[in-house]
Amino acid sequence: MANAAVTHGETTGETDTRLAWVAQARCRGGDPDELFVRGAAQRKAATICRHCPVQLECGADALDNRVEFGVWGGMTERQRRALLRQHPEVTSWGEFFENQRRRHADAV
């Protein structure tokens, strides 16, 4: 779920960067309530994110800001909590995902 609200402590550059990817999100014109559902409906809601060009940015933003509710970057609340538990050392999820992407590209 791409929400253009500015989080506490963001610099102007961070805000500009965030607004740039939010503008490209597939969900930007939809009903936000579709992404704030419970249970099995979350998996269905996550399909909106499947082909989103900013899926990783959205997921990283939600993880970096410890967003507790809703589907963000194709991840449910449970999936985000699991990632946070598995990788407590991560300080930037955007960098983490980029490194993962690079490793995958190098392996292929």
Side-chain angles (χ1 to χ4, degrees), residues 48-59:
I48 294 169
C49 307
R50 190 168 291 145
H51 299 288
C52 183
V54 294
Q55 182 178 4
L56 292 179
E57 291 88 340
C58 183

Side-chain angles (χ1 to χ4, degrees), residues 48-105:
I48 294 169
C49 307
R50 190 168 291 145
H51 299 288
C52 183
V54 294
Q55 182 178 4
L56 292 179
E57 291 88 340
C58 183
D61 188 68
L63 288 161
D64 283 341
N65 291 297
R66 304 299 195 262
V67 177
E68 294 183 33
F69 303 104
V71 172
W72 293 78
M75 290 181 282
T76 65
E77 299 157 4
R78 180 176 283 175
Q79 290 167 326
R80 288 194 309 277
R81 282 193 302 269
L83 273 176
L84 290 168
R85 277 193 309 273
Q86 290 169 5
H87 298 283
E89 77 286 358
V90 173
T91 57
S92 169
W93 285 94
E95 289 176 18
F96 178 85
F97 290 148
E98 180 60 26
N99 289 336
Q100 294 295 321
R101 188 195 61 74
R102 281 190 195 130
R103 283 188 203 141
H104 178 74

Side-chain angles (χ1 to χ4, degrees), residues 7-21:
T7 59
H8 246 2
E10 273 189 3
T11 65
T12 301
E14 290 169 335
T15 301
D16 291 345
T17 300
R18 188 165 198 261
L19 291 175
W21 69 257

